[in-house]
């Protein structure tokens, strides 16, 4: 079992380096020194979390609240140091100088869970007290990282991909087993669980045997885009499957069978691990249904009508892929994406449910009645899906499917769906499997914008903003800088400034959001072309959707995003429901260039 000081030293080495390869090497070395329990906890903490992404564990402690609590003990110096250091973690590091024995990694992890689990009246004070008591037992370096974890500013830039690379490097000395890691994590998206398997005897065998478990999200399969209808024929010379493209929220529906054990028991197979002792998954009680977004967020409580329908429909246990869309049953009309998204809230759900009822349109099934069926052909999976549906009222509806080999028929279907207020079509390879997290031409989207110069909108990561001038100076922001993702180097690279498509009211919201993630200098994983340097840098976290006239190339600046940029960009949506790594990649943008 390692100390939290050792973990903090690893965090510090990660923080001090700039290349992703070096980070992978440091993490692979960390895997070597961590035991099975430690590595699981470490995998969550290095990403600033106490649990996998799909467990909604929050500390609910504001930085302001912590500064107040710290000031009661350490005096006014706290605020002064916070300002000077630019981060509360570094400030607390300067405050503590105790010669302590320090805590174990698991001890700190338990303290973090006590903070998470303190709820109800008076809990803010209790949380602050736990924080102070823990800090008192820490050396300065430990206090730096503990504080950053609690206030949500750890930001070591350690993505899940880097961790998976590090696991491969630990096992075979290079990244060649990344495909095994991707398949395991894609089927069961709990990084701590995958990490613990890496430390088992015969790890590759265990990793290869990972299968989906209802209650734990599978990584959603993603779609590619094409530039024309004829390109579909080139991709699928024989038959292909056409489904409507619903414009709402991707939702994975998990139904957990009556006879299935609790999640902890199913995933940990009775092994004694830190989380099962902490009971991360919420007791032995088996929930009936769980809903997850493509970002692995648990949205079960937001859509009670979908949960109820899942309970009532056929199938003892299943995992379905669907899109949740607002639906006006009286007029038989889809609601707009914006209206659907108003259901994505934690409070006032009942009232919203009355005004904006939704349907989940199921288009795939990956697990059925105790068996995973990821590798069955798409056509066959759809036949299994059909069997779950009986006629009648339900908030889960079956998406229609057409199998054809005619581009003309595809065009007709496309027109029909657009006429119904849908976004276009998704074309799928009938014979493909469900590859978790993959984005390839087995699934293709054709959207309304197919005839425009830019066939699709792009999703960019905000890298900073410019102070407004003239009319906009009153907002303190006049344009934002957007970048694409480069998965090879795990960097975000600038492509365009966006200043249009934004109302006065939106500028306020945008600045408010971006000011919560301001960083003093350009983050290591960001590349910005010289002339685009923003006035204020932000941590690359917020994803925006942008439309433009076309993709252009500036050969002079090829070192950043291969010189790609957008002509006449305009903001369509700020703060998308996406992780930065899910933003448009350089290769995708290149493909969109006509
Ligand atoms: P990305 O391009 O990164 O996938 P996006 O969210 O902008 O991101 P869209 O352009 O909306 O993607 O197209 C893909 C999404 O379409 C899927 O993630 C899913 O949410 C939705 N979708 C709607 N209908 C279907 C369907 N029948 N099959 C698969 N996906 C569908």
């Amino acid at each position: 079992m390692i100390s939290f000081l050792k973990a903090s030293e690893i965090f510090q080495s990660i923080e001090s380096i700039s290349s992703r390869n070096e980070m992978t090497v440091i993490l692979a070395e960390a895997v070597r020194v961590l035991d099975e329990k430690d590595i699981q906890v470490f995998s969550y903490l290095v990403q600033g979390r106490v649990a996998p992404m799909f467990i909604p564990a929050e500390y609910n402690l504001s930085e302001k609240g912590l500064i107040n609590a710290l000031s009661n003990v350490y005096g006014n110096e706290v605020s002064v140091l916070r300002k000077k250091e630019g981060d509360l973690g570094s400030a607390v590091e300067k405050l503590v100088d105790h010669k302590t024995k320090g805590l174990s990694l698991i001890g700190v992890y338990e303290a973090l869970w006590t903070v998470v689990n303190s709820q109800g009246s008076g809990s803010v004070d209790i949380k602050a007290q736990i924080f102070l008591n823990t800090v008192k037992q820490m050396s300065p370096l430990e206090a730096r990282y503990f504080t950053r974890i609690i206030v949500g500013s750890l930001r070591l830039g350690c993505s899940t991909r880097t961790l998976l690379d590090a696991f491969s490097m630990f096992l075979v000395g290079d990244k060649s087993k990344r495909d095994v890691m991707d398949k395991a994590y894609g089927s069961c998206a709990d990084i701590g669980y995958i990490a613990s398997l890496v430390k088992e005897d015969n790890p590759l065998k265990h990793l290869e045997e990972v299968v989906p478990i209802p209650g734990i999200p599978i990584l959603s399969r993603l779609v590619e885009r094409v530039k024309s209808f004829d390109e579909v024929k080139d991709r699928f010379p024989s038959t292909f499957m056409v489904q409507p493209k619903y414009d709402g929220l991707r939702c994975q529906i998990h139904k957990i069978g009556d006879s299935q054990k609790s999640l902890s028991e199913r995933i940990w197979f009775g092994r004694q691990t830190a989380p099962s002792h902490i009971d991360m998954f919420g007791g032995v009680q088996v929930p009936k249904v769980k809903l997850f977004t493509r970002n692995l967020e648990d949205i079960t409580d937001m859509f009670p009508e979908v949960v109820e329908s899942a309970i009532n429909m056929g199938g003892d246990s299943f995992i379905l892929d669907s899109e949740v869309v607002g639906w006006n049953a009286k007029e038989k009309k889809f609601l707009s994406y914006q209206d659907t998204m108003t259901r994505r809230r934690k409070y006032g759900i009942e009232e919203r449910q009355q005004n904006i009822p939704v349907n989940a349109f199921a288009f795939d099934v990956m697990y059925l009645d105790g068996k995973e069926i990821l590798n069955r052909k798409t056509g066959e999976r759809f036949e299994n899906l059909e069997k779950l549906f009986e006629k009648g009222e339900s908030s889960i509806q079956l998406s229609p499917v057409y199998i054809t080999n005619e581009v003309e028929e595809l065009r007709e279907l496309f027109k029909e769906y657009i006429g119904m207020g849908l976004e276009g079509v998704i074309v799928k390879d009938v014979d493909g499997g469900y590859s978790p997290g993959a984005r390839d031409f087995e699934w293709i989207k054709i959207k309304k914008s197919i005839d425009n110069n830019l066939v699709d909108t792009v999703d960019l990561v905000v890298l900073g903003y410019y102070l407004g001038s003239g009319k906009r100076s009153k907002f303190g922001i006049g344009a934002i800088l957007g970048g694409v993702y480069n998965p090879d180097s795990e960097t975000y690279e600038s492509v365009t400034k966006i200043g249009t498509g934004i109302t006065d009211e939106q500028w306020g919201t945008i600045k408010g959001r971006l000011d919560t993630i301001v960083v003093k200098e350009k983050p290591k994983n960001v590349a910005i072309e010289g002339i685009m340097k923003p006035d204020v840098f932000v941590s690359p976290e917020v994803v925006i959707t942008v439309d433009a006239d076309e993709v252009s190339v500036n050969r002079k600046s090829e070192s950043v995003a291969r010189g790609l940029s957008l002509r006449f960009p305009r903001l369509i949506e700020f703060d998308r429901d996406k992780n930065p790594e899910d933003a448009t990649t350089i290769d995708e943008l290149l493909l969109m260039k006509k």
Side-chain angles (χ1 to χ4, degrees):
M1 209 187 266
I2 67 157
S3 64
F4 188 63
L5 180 61
K6 176 72 195 163
S8 302
E9 283 164 4
I10 301 172
F11 296 159
Q12 189 181 28
S13 337
I14 295 176
E15 206 181 347
S16 69
I17 48 105
S18 55
S19 100
R20 178 166 175 255
N21 276 345
E22 277 178 82
M23 192 191 292
T24 314
V25 172
I26 293 172
L27 287 166
E29 175 55 22
V31 177
R32 202 183 55 75
V33 295
L34 295 162
D35 69 20
E36 186 189 307
K37 273 187 206 178
D38 287 334
I39 195 182
Q40 184 196 349
V41 167
F42 179 87
S43 305
Y44 301 138
L45 292 186
V46 76
Q47 299 194 315
R49 301 188 51 86
V50 275
M53 301 293 178
F54 59 93
I55 305 279
E58 301 283 347
Y59 305 114
N60 288 329
L61 254 179
S62 71
E63 185 170 312
K64 213 166 143 214
L66 280 184
I67 293 178
N68 285 341
L70 284 160
S71 302
N72 289 336
V73 181
Y74 299 97
N76 290 343
E77 209 194 335
V78 182
S79 305
V80 179
L81 274 172
R82 162 68 183 86
K83 247 203 188 122
K84 188 169 156 235
E85 297 294 328
D87 141 70
L88 190 61
S90 307
V92 175
E93 179 179 11
K94 297 270 169 340
L95 290 169
V96 298
D97 61 351
H98 323 278
K99 296 258 171 300
T100 63
K101 279 207 293 201
L103 292 164
S104 68
L105 176 68
I106 302 289
V108 172
Y109 186 67
E110 283 174 347
L112 288 168
W113 266 102
T114 324
V115 173
V116 170
N117 287 335
S118 314
Q119 276 161 15
S121 68
S123 64
V124 174
D125 291 339
I126 299 172
K127 283 170 191 272
Q129 205 48 53
I130 301 167
F131 169 77
L132 288 174
N133 288 346
T134 315
V135 160
K136 268 189 204 150
Q137 301 173 61
M138 287 179 158
S139 62
L141 194 69
E142 290 172 278
R144 183 208 287 183
Y145 291 109
F146 177 65
T147 308
R148 285 188 189 166
I149 290 172
I150 288 237
V151 296
S153 67
L154 186 65
R155 300 199 184 109
L156 294 174
C158 176
S159 68
T160 301
R161 285 167 211 250
T162 311
L163 276 171
L164 296 175
D165 273 341
F167 297 159
S168 169
M169 191 163 277
F170 163 74
L171 290 176
V172 293
D174 56 34
K175 298 178 187 170
S176 60
K177 291 291 173 198
R178 209 8 235 284
D179 55 339
V180 179
M181 303 296 156
D182 280 343
K183 195 175 154 283
Y185 180 72
S187 305
C188 192
D190 177 350
I191 194 69
Y193 173 54
I194 301 304
S196 75
L197 295 181
V198 170
K199 295 294 282 192
E200 291 266 357
D201 293 337
N202 212 347
L204 285 171
K205 180 172 169 283
H206 286 291
L207 287 160
E208 272 156 11
E209 284 171 356
V210 172
V211 288
I213 298 175
I216 296 183
I218 298 174
L219 291 192
S220 294
R221 197 189 207 304
L222 303 176
V223 296
E224 268 292 0
R225 32 175 103 67
V226 285
K227 288 183 194 156
S228 67
F229 283 92
D230 290 333
E231 200 183 327
V232 173
K233 195 71 199 154
D234 300 337
R235 301 272 172 196
F236 302 120
S238 56
T239 52
F240 48 84
M241 187 167 139
V242 187
Q243 285 181 326
K245 180 176 186 325
Y246 301 97
D247 193 13
L249 181 67
R250 184 93 176 244
C251 176
Q252 219 171 74
I253 307 171
H254 290 233
K255 181 172 180 180
I256 296 139
D258 285 335
S259 58
Q260 285 174 338
K261 293 182 188 142
S262 77
L263 207 50
S264 320
E265 278 175 271
R266 273 177 289 149
I267 189 165
W268 299 109
F269 312 119
R271 293 186 290 148
Q272 274 312 304
T273 58
S276 62
H277 140 64
I278 280 172
D279 206 3
M280 184 163 61
F281 299 117
V284 284
Q285 232 184 356
V286 182
K288 271 270 176 223
V289 172
K290 282 266 167 205
L291 309 179
F292 302 107
T293 65
R294 161 183 161 175
N295 264 359
L296 310 180
E297 189 192 337
D298 185 337
I299 48 165
T300 313
D301 294 340
M302 295 179 195
F303 300 104
E305 63 269 59
V306 177
V307 172
E308 199 189 318
S309 297
I311 293 171
N312 293 336
M313 70 193 275
D316 169 60
S317 57
F318 55 65
I319 303 178
L320 310 184
D321 206 346
S322 81
E323 185 92 347
V324 163
V325 192
W327 174 247
N328 182 336
K330 245 197 228 143
E331 295 178 23
K332 295 208 173 345
K333 254 173 65 180
F334 293 101
L335 302 182
S336 70
Y337 171 79
Q338 282 74 12
D339 282 342
T340 302
M341 291 313 261
T342 62
R343 285 291 303 273
R344 204 155 183 231
R345 45 157 60 205
K346 288 191 179 137
Y347 308 102
I349 288 164
E350 249 175 59
E351 186 208 324
R352 276 293 148 136
Q353 192 186 339
Q354 300 292 324
N355 299 338
I356 315 267
V358 297
N359 266 355
F361 290 89
F363 50 78
D364 213 326
V365 54
M366 295 84 90
Y367 182 102
L368 188 57
D369 289 337
K371 270 195 232 102
E372 64 112 351
I373 51 169
L374 289 176
N375 295 325
R376 294 209 194 144
K377 293 180 177 176
T378 299
E380 198 187 325
R381 288 199 312 281
F382 194 80
E383 282 166 20
N384 281 299
L385 180 65
E386 271 179 318
K387 287 187 201 138
L388 290 174
F389 287 83
E390 290 157 21
K391 283 219 164 63
E393 279 294 301
S394 170
S395 295
I396 305 182
Q397 294 287 318
L398 178 68
S399 155
V401 149
Y402 293 89
I403 300 199
T404 179
N405 58 357
E406 297 288 339
V407 173
E408 262 326 296
E409 197 171 348
L410 171 65
R411 278 182 196 273
E412 285 308 311
L413 281 166
F414 175 79
K415 261 199 235 150
E416 192 182 310
Y417 289 135
I418 298 284
M420 285 164 69
L422 290 160
E423 224 194 346
V425 290
I426 305 274
V427 187
K428 299 178 180 174
D429 180 355
V430 190
D431 295 327
Y434 190 103
S435 317
R439 185 196 293 280
D440 55 33
F441 286 94
E442 279 187 20
W443 283 25
I444 291 171
K445 61 179 162 185
I446 304 181
K447 287 172 57 168
K448 272 183 262 189
S449 45
I450 184 91
D451 294 326
N452 298 356
N453 275 335
L454 196 67
V455 292
D456 195 4
T457 50
V458 289
D459 293 323
L460 303 180
V461 179
V462 181
L463 307 179
Y465 67 82
Y466 305 87
L467 304 172
S469 60
K471 197 172 139 249
R472 284 194 195 142
S473 58
K474 63 174 186 239
F475 303 120
I477 180 169
I480 44 189
L481 176 64
V484 281
Y485 181 54
N486 181 346
D488 297 331
S489 52
E490 286 206 8
T491 47
Y492 300 95
E493 307 190 9
S494 64
V495 288
T496 191
K497 287 182 193 176
I498 307 115
T500 36
I502 306 169
T503 62
D504 286 5
E505 199 190 334
Q506 275 177 313
W507 278 121
T509 319
I510 291 174
K511 182 161 187 312
R513 171 74 175 102
L514 294 181
D515 281 346
T516 63
I517 51 167
V518 166
V519 286
K520 269 207 282 193
E521 43 192 69
K522 185 177 74 61
K524 286 179 300 193
N525 56 348
V526 167
I528 295 178
E529 210 218 313
I531 53 162
M532 284 201 181
K533 187 171 172 272
D535 296 315
V536 180
F537 291 109
V538 297
S539 163
E541 292 175 29
V542 171
V543 178
I544 57 175
T545 298
V546 172
D547 202 357
D549 279 6
E550 61 179 335
V551 178
S552 52
V553 189
N554 178 358
R555 302 250 170 249
K556 281 194 206 133
S557 56
E558 271 182 345
S559 60
V560 178
R562 279 183 240 158
L564 294 171
S565 69
L566 296 178
R567 259 171 74 79
F568 302 122
R570 48 222 175 243
L571 185 77
I572 302 295
E573 198 185 342
F574 181 77
D575 212 355
R576 282 284 319 269
D577 153 48
K578 269 191 172 181
N579 293 320
E581 306 98 77
D582 295 325
T584 304
T585 62
I586 298 185
D587 285 343
E588 282 180 83
L589 198 59
L590 206 57
L591 277 174
M592 285 165 77
K593 200 180 152 309
K594 287 233 169 177

